[in-house]
Amino acid sequence: MLPTAPEQPPRTSPEPAPPPPPTARPRRSALYAAEAVVSVAAAALMVLLARRIDVNPLDRIGQISGLAALQLRFAVVAALLLVLTVVTARTRWTAHAPLARRLAAATAAGLFSGLVAGAVLVALRGTSWGLNANGGDSGALITWAHTLIDTGTMQADYPPGWVHAIAWYSQLTDTPPEHSLKVLQILGTALFGPVAYLTWRLLLTPVWALGIGVVPATTLIDPYKPYTNLMLVVMIPVLLALLRRLRRAGDTTWGRIALHAAGYGIALGLVFLVYSGWFVWSAPGVLLSALVLFPWRTGRLKGLALLAITAAVFVAVSSRHLFGLLTASGSVKDRYFYWDTWTEPTYLAMWRGDLPGNTGPWPPPGELGGVGLFTVLTLVGLATAIAVARSRTVVITLTSVFAGAWLLRFHFGAQMYGADAVQLWPRSTAELLYCLLLLTGFAAYYGTRRLDAVTRVRTALAAPSTGIGVLAALLLLIASAGSSLGDRYMPRTDNSLGYLATSAHLVKQPDGSCSAYAHTLGKGCFELSDPRFGETLLELAELTPKRGELPHPPPAG
């Protein structure tokens, strides 16, 4: 599947559109490949540059210096991008301006997630463990990877993709899964931006793919388990592309129906194998959207063929996990009660993950009847998207998915007390928030296209300065977001996400040694099950003036 132009209004003529020139598709494929290369290269560059930052991650001053060093590297690359776009905006080089904007947007996407991954690398400097060492979900993944390497199989009711990746990397590099998990956490985080950008390029032009596809996804990036939320970011645009193709099935040749259906089935099957939870929350909305968008009058047979082939390929790709999940669905209960299961159920302005610890009042107090202004703005975005583009496939699908997940959230939440089971309903927060942010972005997108009909507005939007200004603002936004997100994972002693990195330093390494910087705290290192591990965290917490930040200089032994 290659990036296509933004969705156009339904054609009044029943005749199919003329095929593109013979040279159009190879050139478009080459440009898309160039975007992929520069985006991944930018992410890799930030990670490689982070390796040269020499600080003590268990010292708060060292953490701040590390974040500042990352920002300096980001700023240098961002400045080069802006210089490139300014130079190509000049009359002499205008023919190269579209290519420059395309590559700059792709590079920015890679820089964002590379910045977060670089911060995680700084936070884990001196330890071979990944985030949370061998505790919690990290411990479970390590155990499953060992089982997979030893027996060749794993339990069928958990998505196998990430576990297979850990086992494959361990066998390829002859390293234990305990070490491989750290590498894959950083690699998965670094690829978050490029994958999000390239997937949204299926539907949007470069700068819009950066603004709508990557910026809202900043709320979802999770270095601890990067594969979970990344699959949500990938699944949504693939579903949108599928439903848009379904709506236009009557104008599509049978050969292209089969080709596209196979592509959608493979893509959705692979997403399902990496993380399948989002399919549950999305199913009602996708079904409703398919019924609304189905070409009942103009292409019923082609529409049925598209859905049937997509479903068949999806089942073929994901069959083992799909049937394992269905088999276990009646007997497996999620009884993981934690702070988010005690949160008022309509709150969805922020997703803080599913770790047991919680710091500060949650949810934060809202300004308007308990509802925060951020939520109010996203609801304004929802209203605007419906007002300016309610008949568009994107708006129909996103509002339907939101409504379906909203109802399922309350269905499982209402049963929680009687069934004594959570069934992961707090995780719907991530999808609901993402849908609202996407609708807000598409409100701007379709609103801008309406304004484009006004001559003066069209001239202003097409001006090179507008594109340069938007790119500069987006670069500053993702730089700030990347630094803030990276700081969350810096070692701390409270119940925040920083606890994950602290564990990686204070838990004994797989070979029995301590991490390179554990001695600076004067407490040594321990097995995860050793009571002294928890006692050490409590002692350090008493020395932290705010938010669990480790003091400078570190306490002496």
Side-chain angles (χ1 to χ4, degrees):
M1 294 181 292
L2 297 174
T4 57
E7 178 186 354
Q8 301 295 324
R11 292 184 291 270
T12 56
S13 171
E15 296 298 324
T23 58
R25 286 187 182 176
R27 182 175 183 274
R28 190 172 64 184
S29 300
L31 291 174
Y32 187 71
E35 290 178 73
V37 169
V38 298
S39 191
V40 173
L45 176 63
M46 288 302 299
V47 174
L48 290 175
L49 292 175
R51 289 172 58 90
R52 301 176 63 85
I53 298 175
D54 185 8
V55 296
N56 179 355
L58 295 182
D59 182 336
R60 181 59 180 168
I61 299 303
Q63 296 171 11
I64 297 301
S65 292
L67 292 171
L70 285 168
Q71 284 295 313
L72 179 61
R73 290 153 172 78
F74 183 101
V76 170
V77 180
L80 293 175
L81 290 180
L82 290 175
V83 169
L84 176 64
T85 56
V86 170
V87 169
T88 55
R90 299 175 67 87
T91 305
R92 183 179 178 183
W93 302 96
T94 52
H96 304 287
L99 176 61
R101 287 194 297 270
R102 181 189 293 258
L103 297 181
T107 303
L111 288 175
F112 160 68
S113 55
L115 177 61
V116 180
V120 174
L121 184 60
V122 171
L124 297 176
R125 181 178 176 83
T127 176
S128 58
W129 287 116
L131 292 170
N132 209 19
N134 58 341
D137 289 337
S138 289
L141 290 169
I142 290 170
T143 299
W144 293 337
H146 275 295
T147 302
L148 181 61
I149 293 171
D150 295 338
T151 67
T153 61
M154 62 169 287
Q155 60 189 73
D157 60 340
Y158 190 84
W162 194 247
V163 179
H164 276 266
I166 297 171
W168 174 79
Y169 184 83
S170 295
Q171 293 174 311
L172 180 67
T173 59
D174 195 25
T175 55
E178 289 83 351
H179 293 178
S180 301
L181 183 59
K182 175 184 176 180
V183 175
L184 289 179
Q185 285 176 341
I186 294 171
L187 178 62
T189 302
L191 290 177
F192 192 98
V195 171
Y197 171 82
L198 294 169
T199 310
W200 277 101
R201 282 288 286 118
L202 297 171
L203 302 169
L204 298 167
T205 54
V207 176
W208 281 110
L210 178 64
I212 294 180
V214 177
V215 171
T218 59
T219 61
L220 302 179
I221 190 169
D222 178 12
Y224 182 38
K225 294 182 291 183
Y227 60 99
T228 56
N229 291 346
L230 179 57
M231 291 303 100
L232 171 62
V233 175
V234 171
M235 182 190 70
I236 293 294
V238 172
L239 288 174
L240 290 173
L242 168 62
L243 291 169
R244 186 178 66 174
R245 182 60 57 187
L246 175 65
R247 192 175 195 178
R248 299 174 174 180
D251 294 337
T252 308
T253 64
W254 282 103
R256 290 180 65 80
I257 287 285
L259 182 63
H260 281 280
Y264 296 135
I266 292 172
L268 291 173
L270 292 175
V271 169
F272 190 83
L273 290 176
V274 177
Y275 190 74
S276 53
W278 307 119
F279 286 78
V280 175
W281 305 108
S282 305
V286 172
L287 177 60
L288 176 61
S289 300
L291 292 173
V292 172
L293 299 172
F294 191 85
W296 298 101
R297 296 182 180 179
T298 58
R300 280 179 291 181
L301 290 178
K302 289 182 177 179
L304 285 173
L306 178 70
L307 294 177
I309 296 173
T310 300
V313 174
F314 170 79
V315 171
V317 171
S318 63
S319 58
R320 186 177 184 276
H321 173 48
L322 175 62
F323 294 127
L325 194 63
L326 293 174
T327 301
S329 61
S331 58
V332 175
K333 281 191 174 183
D334 167 32
R335 291 191 172 91
Y336 178 49
F337 292 89
Y338 66 109
W339 59 270
D340 214 8
T341 59
W342 310 324
T343 301
E344 185 271 308
T346 64
Y347 181 78
L348 47 82
M350 284 188 282
W351 168 243
R352 292 184 52 178
D354 56 2
L355 296 179
N358 178 32
T359 57
W362 192 262
E367 298 87 352
L368 183 63
V371 179
L373 292 181
F374 174 79
T375 303
V376 173
L377 289 176
T378 60
L379 296 177
V380 171
L382 167 66
T384 306
I386 294 174
V388 302
R390 65 182 176 85
S391 62
R392 297 283 186 169
T393 300
V394 168
V395 175
I396 291 172
T397 303
L398 290 177
T399 52
S400 298
V401 169
F402 178 90
W406 185 256
L407 292 176
L408 278 181
R409 174 185 181 88
F410 298 137
H411 169 71
F412 288 116
Q415 292 184 334
M416 181 170 56
Y417 179 79
D420 190 31
V422 178
Q423 302 306 91
L424 298 176
W425 73 261
R427 290 197 65 85
S428 62
T429 300
E431 184 160 358
L432 292 168
L433 174 60
Y434 191 48
C435 286
L436 282 181
L437 291 174
L438 289 175
L439 284 165
T440 302
F442 277 107
Y445 175 74
Y446 287 117
T448 302
R449 292 184 67 182
R450 282 199 173 190
L451 290 175
D452 192 49
V454 181
T455 303
R456 290 184 178 179
V457 175
R458 181 171 63 248
T459 302
L461 292 175
S465 298
T466 302
I468 295 170
V470 170
L471 180 62
L474 288 175
L475 283 168
L476 185 57
L477 174 61
I478 62 178
S480 301
S483 185
S484 176
L485 291 165
D487 186 41
R488 290 184 187 180
Y489 291 88
M490 289 296 171
R492 288 185 173 87
T493 57
D494 58 8
N495 285 324
S496 68
L497 293 172
Y499 166 84
L500 301 173
T502 304
S503 296
H505 285 280
L506 296 186
V507 172
K508 282 187 177 181
Q509 306 296 293
D511 62 2
S513 65
C514 292
S515 70
Y517 297 99
H519 69 279
T520 63
L521 297 179
K523 302 295 180 180
C525 61
F526 315 94
E527 297 290 345
L528 187 66
S529 58
D530 191 327
R532 291 177 297 172
F533 174 69
E535 294 170 2
T536 298
L537 290 178
L538 291 175
E539 291 176 17
L540 291 172
E542 295 176 358
L543 299 172
T544 55
K546 66 172 186 174
R547 296 198 308 159
E549 295 166 352
L550 293 164
H552 174 77

